[in-house]
Each structure stands twice: as structure tokens, then as C-alpha cells.
Amino acid sequence: EVALDLDMSPYVEEYRGKRDRLVADLHPAFELVPPGGSFYAFPKIPFEAEESAFMEACLERKILVVPGSAFSRVGSHFRLSFAVTDEELSRGIEALNEVAVKFGN
């Protein structure tokens, strides 16, 4: 019963801010529908890159994302969590944007 009295609004606002920051700061090549009720995003792999090449580029930059092929037969998207510290979110966005530029050239 005590758990039902807990005010979750600060946590909801914190994750909403992280989501909004990810959506605003991620390179436009990552097509992304903002998630409505989760701390996961499912962006499109940029520039029609092959899923395996994209995943390898992420791993080289120490970004852990889950390939979309783990969820469907199509490997055009990937899942990432924004339930991280603000510093980790900044580093992740920066590294993902580097990957996008790599595949855009």
C-alpha cells in the first residue's frame, strides 16, 4: 500500500527530459518516433547501412545497442535505452552521431 502513495512524477519528468534530449540531439539521419511510455527508443539505422556494419561501428565506440533483428525479421532499426546518467546519455548521443556521419560519407 505504501508503494501506491509514492509520487512518481519526478521520475516521469526525468525520463521525459532524457527522451526529449535524445530526440532533439540525435543526428537527423536516425529517423525516430519519440517513445510514449518507455525508456527505450527504436531509431532507424542511418543511411540504409547494413545492420552488422552499424552494430560493429557502435561497438567500436563502446555503445551497446540491440539490433532490430532481435525483435523482427527486418534489421533496419535498433533499440537503445536512455535510462542512463546524463553524462552517459551525452556520450552515447555524441558517439551515435559520429556513427551517422561515418555512414553518411
Side-chain angles (χ1 to χ4, degrees), residues 1-77:
E1 187 172 305
V2 174
L4 297 176
D5 294 332
L6 183 62
D7 180 13
M8 296 300 292
S9 58
Y11 302 102
V12 171
E13 287 305 312
E14 178 184 1
Y15 285 110
R16 183 175 290 129
K18 290 176 186 291
R19 178 205 60 199
D20 293 349
R21 186 163 155 224
L22 177 70
V23 169
D25 294 348
L26 204 57
H27 192 285
F30 292 105
E31 296 174 28
L32 173 62
V33 174
S38 171
F39 49 79
Y40 293 104
F42 206 61
K44 185 173 183 183
I45 293 174
F47 302 107
E48 307 297 325
E50 291 291 324
E51 183 182 64
S52 60
F54 175 77
M55 297 305 295
E56 185 175 322
C58 287
L59 287 174
E60 288 171 0
R61 288 165 179 78
K62 298 184 183 340
I63 309 168
L64 182 58
V65 296
V66 180
S69 61
F71 304 99
S72 75
R73 293 183 183 150
V74 181
S76 60
H77 290 69

Side-chain angles (χ1 to χ4, degrees), residues 74-96:
V74 181
S76 60
H77 290 69
F78 64 100
R79 186 175 91 165
L80 62 94
S81 171
F82 51 88
V84 296
T85 66
D86 289 338
E87 294 79 21
E88 290 171 316
L89 184 60
S90 293
R91 190 191 74 73
I93 291 170
E94 182 179 330
L96 283 168

